[in-house]
Amino acid sequence: KLDVVKSNFDNGLGDTTYVDNEIAKRFDIKAKELTDKMTSLQEELQEVKQENARLRKENSKLSIDNDETRQRGMKGNLKIYAPQATQEILPNRGGRRETLTEMCTRLVQKKTGCDILQSDVSACHKLKDNDHTYILAVANRLPGSGWESLTAGMVNGRMKNSQEYFKKDGVFLSYQVTQAKAKLLHQIRLARKQGHISKFSVNENGRVTVRRAKTTPIATGQTKPKETWETVDSLQRFQEMFPGLTHPLTSENGRDRVPNSQQ
């Protein structure tokens, strides 16, 4: 019919109404096909986005679980940063030089008052690529052990059986943590330095907690409100806690001081 109409039109025998209607009809059909295809693609895209979100969530959980497994393997590992430490000569032991284990247990005892017996130590070595940091691995963590006394002191930074704080002697103690937790703690220390949190703590299991605000002073006779501590298990969780900050946080001078043992 189009050919007939076109022929008639060319010969001046008809108008373009039929052609216009056919063109519009076919255009509508093609437009509907494209619209349906676009709708289908949008639905597929939405499904892909939902699947990616689910996979990201699962991957994040697996990463945290894997990191926690690695952290459990580090339980009992004490990190000692001591730039001025040297292995002393022991006159009462034939004039020999201290072993690393003897030096590290001596540094711990002097700073905290806690006695870690050498028989309780399973390993002691310098941290790779760092001449001033040592790892002391304590196997005996039973009640009554030196490790139990040390972990109690690490909570508040007080020496064993004393109200005095750990000595400021150039020796810094912390629990060894995984690389992921070390990055998290780096951000948390910056957050404290910049005033976004008031305190943070790391226990012997590598569990990181923070307290956002300082305790409000109370009047005499009133009950002190319980401090609110929040567990932070990943950088993602830390960023979710402070959505208004620009992440990652950076220090003003590009370097961070070695944290003291009183966290």
Side-chain angles (χ1 to χ4, degrees), residues 3-29:
D3 292 338
V4 173
V5 172
K6 182 177 183 302
S7 176
N8 291 337
F9 178 73
D10 291 339
N11 295 321
L13 301 176
D15 58 31
T16 63
T17 303
Y18 182 82
V19 174
D20 291 342
N21 289 340
E22 286 296 319
I23 290 174
K25 186 186 298 181
R26 298 189 181 190
F27 177 82
D28 289 342
I29 293 173

Side-chain angles (χ1 to χ4, degrees), residues 20 31 40 50 67 81 127 135 154 176 197 215 235 246 251:
D20 291 342
S40 177
Q50 292 174 351
D67 189 65
Y81 178 71
L127 195 63
I135 299 297
M154 292 282 279
Q176 187 183 23
I197 62 175
T215 303
L235 276 172
T246 300
S251 57

Side-chain angles (χ1 to χ4, degrees), residues 9 12 52 59 82 96 108 128 143 158 167 191 229 232 235 246:
F9 178 73
N52 285 342
N59 183 63
R96 69 172 177 82
V108 171
K128 185 179 180 181
R158 296 184 189 276
K167 293 182 179 179
W229 290 81
V232 188
L235 276 172
T246 300

